[in-house]
Amino acid sequence: MILVDNALKRREAAGQPLRVALIGAGFAARGVVQQLLTPLPGMRLAAIVNRSLDKAERLFDEHDRPAAVAETAAQFNEALASGQAVITSDVQLAAHSEHIDVLVDTTGQVEYGAQVAVAAIAGGKPLVMANAELDATVGPILKRQADQAGVAISNTDGDEPAVAMNLIRFVQTLGLRPVMAGNIKGFLDVHRNPDTQREFAERVGQRPPMIVSFADGTKLSLESAILANATGLAVTQRGMTGYQVEHVMDLPQRLNAAELLAQPRVDYALGAQPGNGAFVVVYSAEPIKQQYLQYFKMGDGPLYLFYTPYHLPTFQLPATIGRVALFGDAAVAPQGPPIADVIALAKRDLKAGAELDGIGGFDCYGVIEDAHLAARDRLLPMGIAGGCRLARDVAQDTPLTYADVDLPHGRLCDRLRREQDQWLQEQAGRFVAEVI
């Protein structure tokens, strides 16, 4: 089942490594740079695009690699043609360069990430997204535009949606039916904020808002929405159930097979060992299969659980580069209009006139919801909330709606979101997600 490694080795032997432009220079980017500058067979880090050039330069400096600064297309292409690595603040240079084969977005930003995605599609460049914030907000419409342009687009291996998706594809080769999939979540408190998480963030070298998005459940919902949109697995209740079990392998005993067969779904295990990774629950009532699964210590059935006890996005992202650029094979990507959305709820009492600080902040947390219900009630997407100004007071733990806020002017993410919402409305009752 593993083809990418040998394909990349052939590219290396032929002297044709994939040339990668990395967008972003933060925590995730630093880990990817480490991998690409090792180097890995069949790919090279050709350029880093970042709005702050000094941060991009520091990533190359950590590895004693000189890099040229490019402000124009001529400078960019000339440097790459001569074998130099390049740093630039202009993503358009990378998206339209003949010396770049694939773009990788590690920004975690919705608005800027949208600009990167649109540039990649316009430039005909495959795009790997280590950007759950973007994918859960406007991923379906970006995938539609990419398909129309013949461009491959994917979220990254190693993040939980792709970990689960790889498990799903694996169990299908075993002739087993997936009926639930999701994250193994260690901790959840929706009211965590940058002050409560600052010390831990400093200890691990992360920005407090990113750590907050993990702790308050926003990232869990974003990743679950990505998985739902890629698989057709449903959101059966706002926020999902969240099963508290001692070990994730105990989960099947808590589940009702008939309910899962009637409505396969995304959900999560909370506080469960091994405390990390993703799982898929499968169904089989075939007596012979049950006999063999019991013999191989998978349980008595008819529900069985498979899991991966880790997720290593910065380590596994290069595999996605190979999958997308060489095979057009997405690790995880939307299959049509959205199945799930992530809506914003007030983390504290909010006052009219205040500007929302967005994902990982003091003001809001994100919760997964059925996309049709979110659209019906005009609920504000979490990925859109940052930068909006409140038009009225909103009480703690209340969902925000579009009527509660004034949107900033001129954002690309808002335009893409309107297109996606219109597409969802047009396809209501006509598009039926194929549940994987």
Side-chain angles (χ1 to χ4, degrees):
M1 294 174 65
I2 298 175
L3 303 173
V4 175
D5 56 345
N6 287 330
L8 288 170
K9 288 175 183 176
R10 288 193 292 271
R11 295 280 299 210
E12 184 74 23
Q16 297 178 325
L18 295 172
R19 299 161 296 181
V20 179
L22 181 68
I23 319 302
F27 181 87
R30 184 170 181 251
V32 175
V33 168
Q34 168 65 39
Q35 291 298 100
L36 294 180
L37 290 182
T38 299
L40 295 172
M43 63 181 70
R44 298 289 185 274
L45 178 59
I48 298 178
V49 181
N50 198 62
R51 288 170 289 185
S52 300
L53 291 180
D54 59 325
K55 293 182 179 179
E57 188 173 18
R58 280 201 295 271
L59 294 185
F60 278 116
D61 287 346
E62 278 194 306
H63 298 272
D64 296 322
R65 300 292 180 91
V69 177
E71 296 180 351
T72 67
Q75 293 171 342
F76 189 87
N77 290 323
E78 287 171 8
L80 291 177
S82 69
Q84 285 184 283
V86 180
I87 59 174
T88 183
S89 60
D90 188 352
V91 70
Q92 298 293 339
L93 302 186
H96 295 277
S97 173
E98 63 181 5
H99 299 284
I100 295 294
D101 298 307
V102 60
L103 269 60
V104 176
D105 171 18
T106 65
T107 64
Q109 302 294 315
V110 176
E111 174 62 13
Y112 184 57
Q115 296 171 23
V116 169
V118 169
I121 294 167
K125 295 290 190 295
L127 174 65
V128 176
M129 294 183 292
N131 189 342
E133 296 82 354
L134 175 70
D135 200 353
T137 305
V138 292
I141 196 66
L142 289 173
K143 177 61 163 55
R144 186 189 196 196
Q145 293 179 3
D147 288 346
Q148 291 170 344
V151 173
I153 188 171
S154 174
N155 213 295
T156 181
D157 281 293
D159 252 351
E160 285 92 340
V163 174
M165 191 73 201
N166 287 336
L167 280 172
I168 287 170
R169 291 174 67 173
F170 168 67
V171 298
Q172 287 177 316
T173 68
L174 308 182
L176 301 173
R177 179 180 175 182
V179 290
M180 178 190 281
N183 290 16
I184 304 169
K185 178 70 174 167
F187 172 82
L188 179 62
D189 178 354
V190 298
H191 297 129
R192 291 299 174 112
N193 63 53
D195 285 343
T196 65
Q197 306 308 113
R198 194 174 310 280
E199 182 180 348
F200 180 77
E202 291 173 356
R203 190 161 69 245
V204 298
Q206 270 272 36
R207 296 181 302 109
M210 182 60 71
I211 297 299
V212 172
S213 73
F214 302 148
D216 72 6
T218 298
K219 201 67 170 246
L220 168 68
S221 284
L222 294 170
E223 291 170 345
S224 300
I226 292 168
L227 183 60
N229 291 338
T231 60
L233 295 171
V235 182
T236 56
Q237 68 179 60
R238 179 178 295 175
M240 303 175 288
T241 300
Y243 294 88
Q244 291 187 294
V245 290
E246 184 173 341
H247 193 284
V248 70
M249 287 298 291
D250 301 328
L251 185 56
Q253 284 70 52
R254 294 283 306 279
L255 303 175
N256 183 294
E259 291 180 358
L260 296 182
L261 288 171
Q263 186 63 84
R265 64 199 63 184
V266 289
D267 218 304
Y268 66 100
L270 180 60
Q273 292 297 321
N276 197 3
F279 69 87
V280 57
V281 177
V282 301
Y283 175 85
S284 179
E286 299 176 21
I288 296 177
K289 281 186 179 178
Q290 287 189 333
Q291 178 186 351
Y292 278 87
L293 287 166
Q294 184 182 50
Y295 174 75
F296 291 120
K297 299 180 173 57
M298 293 300 294
D300 297 329
L303 297 176
Y304 305 90
L305 187 134
F306 293 76
Y307 72 99
T308 299
Y310 56 84
H311 76 292
L312 302 168
T314 59
F315 288 88
Q316 294 179 256
L317 187 146
T320 319
I321 294 173
R323 290 175 67 170
V324 169
L326 300 181
F327 298 100
D329 178 39
V332 60
Q335 61 166 282
I339 302 297
D341 202 354
V342 180
I343 62 172
L345 278 73
K347 191 175 284 187
R348 58 184 177 180
D349 291 337
L350 302 174
K351 298 299 182 182
E355 182 177 304
L356 298 175
D357 55 10
I359 293 171
F362 291 93
D363 295 335
C364 304
Y365 60 94
V367 172
I368 194 170
E369 176 62 284
D370 177 270
H372 291 280
L373 297 180
R376 182 197 67 188
D377 296 338
R378 297 291 292 155
L379 300 176
L380 184 69
M382 186 66 205
I384 296 297
C388 292
R389 192 166 296 279
L390 285 166
R392 62 185 76 168
D393 294 351
V394 179
Q396 186 181 41
D397 297 320
T398 301
L400 283 88
T401 70
Y402 275 102
D404 293 326
V405 300
D406 296 318
L407 297 174
H409 293 292
R411 294 193 307 189
L412 174 60
C413 64
D414 294 317
R415 178 172 65 79
L416 290 169
R417 184 63 197 218
R418 285 192 293 270
E419 292 179 21
Q420 181 171 292
D421 291 345
Q422 181 63 33
W423 183 32
L424 177 64
Q425 183 178 357
E426 290 171 354
Q427 295 298 315
R430 300 192 319 192
F431 174 79
V432 178
E434 179 182 350
V435 179
I436 289 179

